[in-house]
Amino acid sequence: MAGKKPIRSESLMTRAAAHLRLADPVSDEPSADPDQLLTRVGRGDEQAFAALYDLLGASVYGLARRVVRDPARAEEISQEVFIQVWRSAARFDTSRGSARGWVLTLAHRRAVDAVRHDQAATNRENRYDWSSGPAFDQVEETVSTTLEHEQVRRCLDGLTELQREAVNLAYYNGHTYAEVAEVLDTNPATIKTRIRDGLVRLRDCMGVPA
Amino acid sequence: MSTDVHSLLAPYVLDALDPEERNQFEAHLEQCPDCRTELGGLQATATRLAESQSQAPPAELRQRLLTAIGTTPQERPVVTAMSQRGGLRRRLPQLVAAAALVLAAAGGTGYFVEHNRADEQHDQNVAIRAVLGAPDADTKALNLPNGGTVRLITSESRDSAVVVARELPALDEGKVYQVWLIKKSAAESQGTFSRSGEMVMKDLADVDQVAVTVEPSGGSKKPTTAPVVDVPV
């Protein structure tokens, strides 16, 4: 990275910066964790922002894509999320949660809001040919490459069918639990319970601390 | 109602509440330290669900963002951390507008064809949700003898129906399930699926039945096998 920088005459400054870098193991480490990067983003550090994007961009985009389906819309949402991260980074309190969790929560909310907003705004008179897009199962396959996905899938497989359906429809399709109840023809109170049971089971299966 | 508010925690984690319930739960959260503790673990779980979908974004997004932040002012830190979420939500319209400008400035990119296709899927999701949310939505459910369920949700006011198929028996390679609207003497194909999925159908005026048959991949022009599912409309 340093090789691309234009040559400057302030060698003293450069040496001072190099010294600081040694003293501060966080700065410019490609493996820096999102919490540390976000703190730096809050101070206006554009390099930290780029590094944070490199760490979380695929998760944000993939999640948005799963929820809204449309790649252009998913890209738009990813952009909004990262601009929001840039703007609000200084207000993020690392004692209240992880930067990763915060960014992905923002992304999920944006994606779900987009789906619901579109539902309210449009009611087009189209006929939809289902065979024109990839089937549900195929969408699953294209993203099943990572180890992470394998573990999540294994844990999802460990749920009861109703728990799994409820979690999938709510989280990945952006349905409210009341809508999930309608799709699954089940009492809304039952769906709330199944979502909770399902999440607790997933948490334990994934080894997330309670 | 207040005794029930705790049951909103898990749906809240999945963003599965309507706005009124979301506000109700967030107000409750401010006064419930136990909820915040439980919330942490479940939110971390949702984060894992999110990460499992990881997919490389279009390469140009990175540069566009780096350009955008160069002219995007940052907010100053605040002390009252709990108000953060509500504050962000209120500012969203501005952010959306800002992002739209950036997108417009960036101009078109190369995903036009894919966009159209995904647009249809997206529209379909929107249409499905419209039927499910209709006040006169009526559900018929059918458990298949060899496993799987098919539900038909009909809304007269929207002249539409949604078929929801779940975990139907796996088919031999080269076979798919195909959905049909059976009218007086004709069968109109509505599309194909493998084992699970949802689809929306419109213009139900002279439709007698919704049927599902097993057909070769890509679907047939007319049903070539006896229906595995046959629901009167």
mmCIF file of all heavy atoms in Angstrom, chain A residues 136 164-176 179-180 183-184, chain B residues 166 198:
data_model
loop_
_atom_site.group_PDB
_atom_site.id
_atom_site.type_symbol
_atom_site.label_atom_id
_atom_site.label_comp_id
_atom_site.label_asym_id
_atom_site.label_seq_id
_atom_site.Cartn_x
_atom_site.Cartn_y
_atom_site.Cartn_z
ATOM 1 N N PHE A 136 -36.191 -22.108 -5.069
ATOM 2 C CA PHE A 136 -35.815 -21.914 -3.673
ATOM 3 C C PHE A 136 -34.550 -22.694 -3.333
ATOM 4 O O PHE A 136 -33.593 -22.153 -2.801
ATOM 5 C CB PHE A 136 -36.979 -22.427 -2.824
ATOM 6 C CG PHE A 136 -37.121 -21.728 -1.520
ATOM 7 C CD1 PHE A 136 -37.725 -20.484 -1.450
ATOM 8 C CD2 PHE A 136 -36.644 -22.312 -0.376
ATOM 9 C CE1 PHE A 136 -37.849 -19.842 -0.237
ATOM 10 C CE2 PHE A 136 -36.775 -21.672 0.843
ATOM 11 C CZ PHE A 136 -37.381 -20.436 0.912
ATOM 12 N N ARG A 164 -38.009 -24.317 12.197
ATOM 13 C CA ARG A 164 -37.158 -23.946 11.070
ATOM 14 C C ARG A 164 -37.906 -23.057 10.079
ATOM 15 O O ARG A 164 -37.413 -22.035 9.631
ATOM 16 C CB ARG A 164 -36.640 -25.212 10.381
ATOM 17 C CG ARG A 164 -35.649 -24.932 9.244
ATOM 18 C CD ARG A 164 -35.003 -26.214 8.744
ATOM 19 N NE ARG A 164 -35.981 -27.194 8.343
ATOM 20 C CZ ARG A 164 -36.167 -28.371 8.939
ATOM 21 N NH1 ARG A 164 -35.427 -28.721 9.960
ATOM 22 N NH2 ARG A 164 -37.091 -29.199 8.504
ATOM 23 N N GLU A 165 -39.112 -23.468 9.751
ATOM 24 C CA GLU A 165 -39.919 -22.690 8.811
ATOM 25 C C GLU A 165 -40.154 -21.279 9.350
ATOM 26 O O GLU A 165 -40.069 -20.287 8.620
ATOM 27 C CB GLU A 165 -41.271 -23.373 8.587
ATOM 28 C CG GLU A 165 -41.188 -24.601 7.721
ATOM 29 C CD GLU A 165 -40.971 -24.237 6.267
ATOM 30 O OE1 GLU A 165 -41.504 -23.201 5.850
ATOM 31 O OE2 GLU A 165 -40.260 -24.966 5.574
ATOM 32 N N ALA A 166 -40.487 -21.218 10.642
ATOM 33 C CA ALA A 166 -40.807 -19.921 11.243
ATOM 34 C C ALA A 166 -39.585 -19.004 11.211
ATOM 35 O O ALA A 166 -39.678 -17.829 10.830
ATOM 36 C CB ALA A 166 -41.311 -20.112 12.673
ATOM 37 N N VAL A 167 -38.422 -19.544 11.580
ATOM 38 C CA VAL A 167 -37.199 -18.730 11.588
ATOM 39 C C VAL A 167 -36.832 -18.310 10.163
ATOM 40 O O VAL A 167 -36.516 -17.147 9.900
ATOM 41 C CB VAL A 167 -36.030 -19.498 12.251
ATOM 42 C CG1 VAL A 167 -34.711 -18.790 12.013
ATOM 43 C CG2 VAL A 167 -36.280 -19.657 13.753
ATOM 44 N N ASN A 168 -36.903 -19.247 9.224
ATOM 45 C CA ASN A 168 -36.570 -18.935 7.827
ATOM 46 C C ASN A 168 -37.471 -17.859 7.239
ATOM 47 O O ASN A 168 -37.005 -16.905 6.626
ATOM 48 C CB ASN A 168 -36.688 -20.191 6.955
ATOM 49 C CG ASN A 168 -35.397 -20.994 6.938
ATOM 50 O OD1 ASN A 168 -34.314 -20.426 7.075
ATOM 51 N ND2 ASN A 168 -35.508 -22.290 6.795
ATOM 52 N N LEU A 169 -38.771 -18.049 7.411
ATOM 53 C CA LEU A 169 -39.717 -17.099 6.809
ATOM 54 C C LEU A 169 -39.574 -15.715 7.431
ATOM 55 O O LEU A 169 -39.668 -14.699 6.747
ATOM 56 C CB LEU A 169 -41.159 -17.604 6.976
ATOM 57 C CG LEU A 169 -41.557 -18.762 6.069
ATOM 58 C CD1 LEU A 169 -42.887 -19.356 6.512
ATOM 59 C CD2 LEU A 169 -41.651 -18.298 4.617
ATOM 60 N N ALA A 170 -39.340 -15.682 8.738
ATOM 61 C CA ALA A 170 -39.216 -14.383 9.397
ATOM 62 C C ALA A 170 -37.892 -13.717 9.029
ATOM 63 O O ALA A 170 -37.865 -12.583 8.561
ATOM 64 C CB ALA A 170 -39.322 -14.549 10.915
ATOM 65 N N TYR A 171 -36.795 -14.458 9.190
ATOM 66 C CA TYR A 171 -35.489 -13.799 9.048
ATOM 67 C C TYR A 171 -35.086 -13.609 7.594
ATOM 68 O O TYR A 171 -34.659 -12.528 7.198
ATOM 69 C CB TYR A 171 -34.411 -14.600 9.782
ATOM 70 C CG TYR A 171 -33.131 -13.801 9.926
ATOM 71 C CD1 TYR A 171 -33.081 -12.711 10.792
ATOM 72 C CD2 TYR A 171 -32.004 -14.112 9.187
ATOM 73 C CE1 TYR A 171 -31.931 -11.958 10.911
ATOM 74 C CE2 TYR A 171 -30.843 -13.367 9.310
ATOM 75 C CZ TYR A 171 -30.818 -12.294 10.174
ATOM 76 O OH TYR A 171 -29.673 -11.542 10.294
ATOM 77 N N TYR A 172 -35.230 -14.650 6.795
ATOM 78 C CA TYR A 172 -34.719 -14.578 5.424
ATOM 79 C C TYR A 172 -35.754 -14.049 4.433
ATOM 80 O O TYR A 172 -35.395 -13.566 3.366
ATOM 81 C CB TYR A 172 -34.231 -15.948 4.967
ATOM 82 C CG TYR A 172 -32.981 -16.420 5.673
ATOM 83 C CD1 TYR A 172 -32.891 -17.688 6.207
ATOM 84 C CD2 TYR A 172 -31.872 -15.573 5.798
ATOM 85 C CE1 TYR A 172 -31.746 -18.136 6.846
ATOM 86 C CE2 TYR A 172 -30.730 -15.997 6.435
ATOM 87 C CZ TYR A 172 -30.657 -17.285 6.958
ATOM 88 O OH TYR A 172 -29.523 -17.702 7.581
ATOM 89 N N ASN A 173 -37.032 -14.180 4.744
ATOM 90 C CA ASN A 173 -38.034 -13.657 3.804
ATOM 91 C C ASN A 173 -38.641 -12.340 4.270
ATOM 92 O O ASN A 173 -39.444 -11.751 3.557
ATOM 93 C CB ASN A 173 -39.151 -14.680 3.588
ATOM 94 C CG ASN A 173 -38.684 -15.895 2.807
ATOM 95 O OD1 ASN A 173 -37.502 -16.221 2.838
ATOM 96 N ND2 ASN A 173 -39.586 -16.538 2.106
ATOM 97 N N GLY A 174 -38.287 -11.931 5.488
ATOM 98 C CA GLY A 174 -38.747 -10.628 5.952
ATOM 99 C C GLY A 174 -40.203 -10.576 6.362
ATOM 100 O O GLY A 174 -40.798 -9.507 6.400
ATOM 101 N N HIS A 175 -40.788 -11.727 6.682
ATOM 102 C CA HIS A 175 -42.183 -11.715 7.129
ATOM 103 C C HIS A 175 -42.273 -11.361 8.616
ATOM 104 O O HIS A 175 -41.399 -11.719 9.390
ATOM 105 C CB HIS A 175 -42.812 -13.105 6.944
ATOM 106 C CG HIS A 175 -43.012 -13.492 5.510
ATOM 107 N ND1 HIS A 175 -43.850 -12.792 4.672
ATOM 108 C CD2 HIS A 175 -42.498 -14.496 4.768
ATOM 109 C CE1 HIS A 175 -43.837 -13.363 3.481
ATOM 110 N NE2 HIS A 175 -43.016 -14.393 3.501
ATOM 111 N N THR A 176 -43.356 -10.677 8.997
ATOM 112 C CA THR A 176 -43.628 -10.530 10.428
ATOM 113 C C THR A 176 -44.108 -11.877 10.950
ATOM 114 O O THR A 176 -44.521 -12.741 10.187
ATOM 115 C CB THR A 176 -44.734 -9.490 10.682
ATOM 116 O OG1 THR A 176 -45.952 -9.970 10.100
ATOM 117 C CG2 THR A 176 -44.379 -8.138 10.073
ATOM 118 N N GLU A 179 -47.495 -12.714 9.766
ATOM 119 C CA GLU A 179 -47.538 -13.238 8.395
ATOM 120 C C GLU A 179 -47.051 -14.685 8.352
ATOM 121 O O GLU A 179 -47.597 -15.514 7.614
ATOM 122 C CB GLU A 179 -46.676 -12.378 7.467
ATOM 123 C CG GLU A 179 -47.275 -11.007 7.203
ATOM 124 C CD GLU A 179 -46.283 -10.057 6.527
ATOM 125 O OE1 GLU A 179 -45.060 -10.251 6.652
ATOM 126 O OE2 GLU A 179 -46.739 -9.108 5.892
ATOM 127 N N VAL A 180 -46.014 -14.972 9.131
ATOM 128 C CA VAL A 180 -45.531 -16.351 9.204
ATOM 129 C C VAL A 180 -46.660 -17.261 9.669
ATOM 130 O O VAL A 180 -46.871 -18.344 9.112
ATOM 131 C CB VAL A 180 -44.329 -16.462 10.171
ATOM 132 C CG1 VAL A 180 -43.951 -17.929 10.386
ATOM 133 C CG2 VAL A 180 -43.141 -15.675 9.639
ATOM 134 N N VAL A 183 -48.877 -17.903 6.722
ATOM 135 C CA VAL A 183 -48.286 -18.824 5.743
ATOM 136 C C VAL A 183 -48.337 -20.253 6.254
ATOM 137 O O VAL A 183 -48.638 -21.183 5.515
ATOM 138 C CB VAL A 183 -46.818 -18.429 5.443
ATOM 139 C CG1 VAL A 183 -46.163 -19.479 4.551
ATOM 140 C CG2 VAL A 183 -46.746 -17.071 4.786
ATOM 141 N N LEU A 184 -48.035 -20.429 7.534
ATOM 142 C CA LEU A 184 -47.955 -21.784 8.081
ATOM 143 C C LEU A 184 -49.275 -22.223 8.698
ATOM 144 O O LEU A 184 -49.353 -23.307 9.290
ATOM 145 C CB LEU A 184 -46.826 -21.854 9.122
ATOM 146 C CG LEU A 184 -45.431 -21.537 8.572
ATOM 147 C CD1 LEU A 184 -44.391 -21.583 9.680
ATOM 148 C CD2 LEU A 184 -45.054 -22.509 7.461
ATOM 149 N N ARG B 166 -44.378 -26.995 0.679
ATOM 150 C CA ARG B 166 -43.302 -27.213 1.638
ATOM 151 C C ARG B 166 -42.886 -28.676 1.672
ATOM 152 O O ARG B 166 -43.700 -29.543 1.953
ATOM 153 C CB ARG B 166 -43.757 -26.792 3.051
ATOM 154 C CG ARG B 166 -43.765 -25.287 3.263
ATOM 155 C CD ARG B 166 -42.333 -24.771 3.372
ATOM 156 N NE ARG B 166 -42.275 -23.319 3.475
ATOM 157 C CZ ARG B 166 -42.076 -22.501 2.444
ATOM 158 N NH1 ARG B 166 -41.929 -22.977 1.241
ATOM 159 N NH2 ARG B 166 -42.011 -21.210 2.613
ATOM 160 N N GLU B 198 -43.012 -20.680 -2.946
ATOM 161 C CA GLU B 198 -44.295 -19.994 -2.965
ATOM 162 C C GLU B 198 -44.479 -19.390 -4.346
ATOM 163 O O GLU B 198 -43.515 -19.024 -5.002
ATOM 164 C CB GLU B 198 -44.346 -18.841 -1.951
ATOM 165 C CG GLU B 198 -43.934 -19.202 -0.544
ATOM 166 C CD GLU B 198 -42.497 -18.844 -0.264
ATOM 167 O OE1 GLU B 198 -41.945 -17.966 -0.962
ATOM 168 O OE2 GLU B 198 -41.917 -19.466 0.635
#
